[in-house]
Amino acid sequence: MKEKEIEKKRERRELITRAKIVELLSERHIRSQHTPVLLAWFSPNTHLSTRKDVSVALFYSLLFCFLLISSLLTFRYRFFKTSALLLFFEIFLPVCLKICRHRKLKRKRERRFLLPISM
């Protein structure tokens, strides 16, 4: 008798309830949305959802670092015009990425309003 009762208690513990599934899914969703802040800042997309988005953001962040180091080195060796040009590109890169993000969001919002109401 006691063995059967113990087995029933184990089965009850092992059963996956809806609450457990919901909790696991919400934890997974929270973990999947966690993106590095700097990569999100250098991404032309609003969310880093695929590996391609992450690789593009990583490329732009490395390009930014390269421009920063190059401008500092050219300034150090007294090539002031070249340093100023590299500094301009360094400032221009994040601005362009931010404009690109806003355009994509605007296009997305417009497409949402073009859908019929029945959908």
Side-chain angles (χ1 to χ4, degrees):
M1 286 280 277
K2 289 184 180 181
E3 292 177 3
K4 288 182 181 180
E5 290 177 21
I6 292 172
E7 285 179 346
K8 285 182 182 179
K9 287 182 181 179
R10 283 184 189 162
E11 286 178 2
R12 285 184 207 151
R13 287 186 209 147
E14 291 176 2
L15 287 176
I16 297 175
T17 61
R18 286 186 181 176
K20 287 181 183 177
I21 292 173
V22 168
E23 185 179 331
L24 289 172
L25 286 174
S26 65
E27 287 176 6
R28 184 176 180 186
H29 182 69
I30 289 169
R31 275 187 270 126
S32 68
Q33 282 189 337
H34 179 71
T35 56
V37 176
L38 286 178
L39 282 183
W41 201 61
F42 283 107
S43 174
N45 295 333
T46 53
H47 298 290
L48 299 174
S49 56
T50 63
R51 288 182 187 253
K52 182 184 174 189
D53 295 338
V54 172
S55 62
V56 168
L58 188 62
F59 170 75
Y60 281 125
S61 65
L62 290 175
L63 179 66
F64 182 79
C65 290
F66 173 75
L67 287 172
L68 176 67
I69 292 169
S70 299
S71 66
L72 290 173
L73 285 175
T74 54
F75 186 76
R76 165 75 172 95
Y77 292 115
R78 297 178 190 252
F79 296 112
F80 297 119
K81 290 182 182 178
T82 310
S83 178
L85 182 67
L86 288 172
L87 193 62
F88 170 75
F89 284 126
E90 184 183 334
I91 294 170
F92 191 64
L93 178 69
V95 172
C96 286
L97 291 173
K98 189 167 187 171
I99 290 170
C100 185
R101 274 194 300 270
H102 282 290
R103 282 185 181 171
K104 284 185 180 184
L105 276 174
K106 187 177 179 183
R107 240 184 274 133
K108 195 174 186 180
R109 285 184 196 128
E110 287 175 357
R111 269 190 272 132
R112 199 176 299 148
F113 287 126
L114 292 176
L115 289 173
I117 297 175
S118 62
M119 292 183 78

PDB file of all heavy atoms in Angstrom, residues 12-24:
ATOM      1  N   ARG A  12       2.498  12.588  -9.470  1.00  0.00           N
ATOM      2  CA  ARG A  12       1.929  13.928  -9.350  1.00  0.00           C
ATOM      3  C   ARG A  12       3.011  14.999  -9.456  1.00  0.00           C
ATOM      4  O   ARG A  12       2.816  16.048 -10.037  1.00  0.00           O
ATOM      5  CB  ARG A  12       1.181  14.065  -8.027  1.00  0.00           C
ATOM      6  CG  ARG A  12      -0.126  13.375  -8.004  1.00  0.00           C
ATOM      7  CD  ARG A  12      -0.847  13.641  -6.705  1.00  0.00           C
ATOM      8  NE  ARG A  12      -1.738  12.521  -6.416  1.00  0.00           N
ATOM      9  CZ  ARG A  12      -2.086  12.121  -5.222  1.00  0.00           C
ATOM     10  NH1 ARG A  12      -1.607  12.739  -4.159  1.00  0.00           N
ATOM     11  NH2 ARG A  12      -2.895  11.108  -5.061  1.00  0.00           N
ATOM     12  N   ARG A  13       4.161  14.734  -8.849  1.00  0.00           N
ATOM     13  CA  ARG A  13       5.264  15.698  -8.904  1.00  0.00           C
ATOM     14  C   ARG A  13       5.840  15.806 -10.307  1.00  0.00           C
ATOM     15  O   ARG A  13       6.250  16.870 -10.739  1.00  0.00           O
ATOM     16  CB  ARG A  13       6.373  15.290  -7.944  1.00  0.00           C
ATOM     17  CG  ARG A  13       6.054  15.513  -6.513  1.00  0.00           C
ATOM     18  CD  ARG A  13       7.256  15.217  -5.662  1.00  0.00           C
ATOM     19  NE  ARG A  13       6.817  14.761  -4.352  1.00  0.00           N
ATOM     20  CZ  ARG A  13       7.436  13.886  -3.606  1.00  0.00           C
ATOM     21  NH1 ARG A  13       8.547  13.347  -4.014  1.00  0.00           N
ATOM     22  NH2 ARG A  13       6.958  13.542  -2.432  1.00  0.00           N
ATOM     23  N   GLU A  14       5.892  14.692 -11.016  1.00  0.00           N
ATOM     24  CA  GLU A  14       6.519  14.659 -12.332  1.00  0.00           C
ATOM     25  C   GLU A  14       5.617  15.207 -13.435  1.00  0.00           C
ATOM     26  O   GLU A  14       6.088  15.520 -14.511  1.00  0.00           O
ATOM     27  CB  GLU A  14       6.953  13.237 -12.668  1.00  0.00           C
ATOM     28  CG  GLU A  14       8.097  12.756 -11.796  1.00  0.00           C
ATOM     29  CD  GLU A  14       8.450  11.313 -12.059  1.00  0.00           C
ATOM     30  OE1 GLU A  14       7.820  10.696 -12.944  1.00  0.00           O
ATOM     31  OE2 GLU A  14       9.347  10.814 -11.378  1.00  0.00           O
ATOM     32  N   LEU A  15       4.317  15.260 -13.203  1.00  0.00           N
ATOM     33  CA  LEU A  15       3.416  15.779 -14.219  1.00  0.00           C
ATOM     34  C   LEU A  15       3.713  17.256 -14.480  1.00  0.00           C
ATOM     35  O   LEU A  15       3.915  18.041 -13.554  1.00  0.00           O
ATOM     36  CB  LEU A  15       1.956  15.623 -13.776  1.00  0.00           C
ATOM     37  CG  LEU A  15       1.388  14.214 -13.803  1.00  0.00           C
ATOM     38  CD1 LEU A  15      -0.030  14.216 -13.250  1.00  0.00           C
ATOM     39  CD2 LEU A  15       1.398  13.656 -15.204  1.00  0.00           C
ATOM     40  N   ILE A  16       3.742  17.593 -15.730  1.00  0.00           N
ATOM     41  CA  ILE A  16       3.985  18.986 -16.105  1.00  0.00           C
ATOM     42  C   ILE A  16       2.635  19.679 -16.191  1.00  0.00           C
ATOM     43  O   ILE A  16       1.777  19.295 -16.987  1.00  0.00           O
ATOM     44  CB  ILE A  16       4.728  19.070 -17.443  1.00  0.00           C
ATOM     45  CG1 ILE A  16       6.098  18.414 -17.307  1.00  0.00           C
ATOM     46  CG2 ILE A  16       4.869  20.512 -17.881  1.00  0.00           C
ATOM     47  CD1 ILE A  16       6.863  18.349 -18.599  1.00  0.00           C
ATOM     48  N   THR A  17       2.477  20.687 -15.395  1.00  0.00           N
ATOM     49  CA  THR A  17       1.223  21.431 -15.407  1.00  0.00           C
ATOM     50  C   THR A  17       1.343  22.619 -16.343  1.00  0.00           C
ATOM     51  O   THR A  17       2.429  22.980 -16.786  1.00  0.00           O
ATOM     52  CB  THR A  17       0.881  21.927 -13.992  1.00  0.00           C
ATOM     53  OG1 THR A  17       1.928  22.790 -13.564  1.00  0.00           O
ATOM     54  CG2 THR A  17       0.746  20.766 -13.027  1.00  0.00           C
ATOM     55  N   ARG A  18       0.224  23.197 -16.652  1.00  0.00           N
ATOM     56  CA  ARG A  18       0.216  24.376 -17.526  1.00  0.00           C
ATOM     57  C   ARG A  18       0.984  25.538 -16.913  1.00  0.00           C
ATOM     58  O   ARG A  18       1.659  26.283 -17.597  1.00  0.00           O
ATOM     59  CB  ARG A  18      -1.209  24.809 -17.828  1.00  0.00           C
ATOM     60  CG  ARG A  18      -1.915  23.907 -18.783  1.00  0.00           C
ATOM     61  CD  ARG A  18      -3.252  24.469 -19.132  1.00  0.00           C
ATOM     62  NE  ARG A  18      -3.935  23.575 -20.053  1.00  0.00           N
ATOM     63  CZ  ARG A  18      -5.152  23.756 -20.484  1.00  0.00           C
ATOM     64  NH1 ARG A  18      -5.841  24.795 -20.057  1.00  0.00           N
ATOM     65  NH2 ARG A  18      -5.689  22.927 -21.323  1.00  0.00           N
ATOM     66  N   ALA A  19       0.874  25.675 -15.624  1.00  0.00           N
ATOM     67  CA  ALA A  19       1.570  26.766 -14.944  1.00  0.00           C
ATOM     68  C   ALA A  19       3.079  26.629 -15.105  1.00  0.00           C
ATOM     69  O   ALA A  19       3.783  27.619 -15.344  1.00  0.00           O
ATOM     70  CB  ALA A  19       1.198  26.793 -13.471  1.00  0.00           C
ATOM     71  N   LYS A  20       3.577  25.391 -15.005  1.00  0.00           N
ATOM     72  CA  LYS A  20       5.013  25.170 -15.185  1.00  0.00           C
ATOM     73  C   LYS A  20       5.437  25.494 -16.609  1.00  0.00           C
ATOM     74  O   LYS A  20       6.486  26.095 -16.845  1.00  0.00           O
ATOM     75  CB  LYS A  20       5.375  23.726 -14.838  1.00  0.00           C
ATOM     76  CG  LYS A  20       5.345  23.411 -13.367  1.00  0.00           C
ATOM     77  CD  LYS A  20       5.750  21.975 -13.132  1.00  0.00           C
ATOM     78  CE  LYS A  20       5.658  21.599 -11.668  1.00  0.00           C
ATOM     79  NZ  LYS A  20       5.988  20.178 -11.447  1.00  0.00           N
ATOM     80  N   ILE A  21       4.621  25.088 -17.581  1.00  0.00           N
ATOM     81  CA  ILE A  21       4.944  25.364 -18.985  1.00  0.00           C
ATOM     82  C   ILE A  21       4.962  26.857 -19.248  1.00  0.00           C
ATOM     83  O   ILE A  21       5.861  27.371 -19.915  1.00  0.00           O
ATOM     84  CB  ILE A  21       3.946  24.639 -19.913  1.00  0.00           C
ATOM     85  CG1 ILE A  21       4.147  23.123 -19.821  1.00  0.00           C
ATOM     86  CG2 ILE A  21       4.121  25.107 -21.348  1.00  0.00           C
ATOM     87  CD1 ILE A  21       3.114  22.332 -20.569  1.00  0.00           C
ATOM     88  N   VAL A  22       3.981  27.556 -18.730  1.00  0.00           N
ATOM     89  CA  VAL A  22       3.919  29.010 -18.907  1.00  0.00           C
ATOM     90  C   VAL A  22       5.130  29.671 -18.273  1.00  0.00           C
ATOM     91  O   VAL A  22       5.736  30.581 -18.846  1.00  0.00           O
ATOM     92  CB  VAL A  22       2.606  29.573 -18.325  1.00  0.00           C
ATOM     93  CG1 VAL A  22       2.646  31.078 -18.236  1.00  0.00           C
ATOM     94  CG2 VAL A  22       1.425  29.112 -19.164  1.00  0.00           C
ATOM     95  N   GLU A  23       5.502  29.207 -17.101  1.00  0.00           N
ATOM     96  CA  GLU A  23       6.672  29.770 -16.421  1.00  0.00           C
ATOM     97  C   GLU A  23       7.950  29.519 -17.213  1.00  0.00           C
ATOM     98  O   GLU A  23       8.769  30.419 -17.391  1.00  0.00           O
ATOM     99  CB  GLU A  23       6.792  29.142 -15.033  1.00  0.00           C
ATOM    100  CG  GLU A  23       7.890  29.738 -14.186  1.00  0.00           C
ATOM    101  CD  GLU A  23       7.950  29.105 -12.810  1.00  0.00           C
ATOM    102  OE1 GLU A  23       6.898  28.657 -12.318  1.00  0.00           O
ATOM    103  OE2 GLU A  23       9.045  29.074 -12.245  1.00  0.00           O
ATOM    104  N   LEU A  24       8.114  28.305 -17.727  1.00  0.00           N
ATOM    105  CA  LEU A  24       9.296  27.988 -18.531  1.00  0.00           C
ATOM    106  C   LEU A  24       9.344  28.821 -19.812  1.00  0.00           C
ATOM    107  O   LEU A  24      10.399  29.332 -20.198  1.00  0.00           O
ATOM    108  CB  LEU A  24       9.317  26.498 -18.878  1.00  0.00           C
ATOM    109  CG  LEU A  24       9.604  25.538 -17.734  1.00  0.00           C
ATOM    110  CD1 LEU A  24       9.399  24.106 -18.191  1.00  0.00           C
ATOM    111  CD2 LEU A  24      11.026  25.738 -17.244  1.00  0.00           C
TER     112      LEU A  24
END
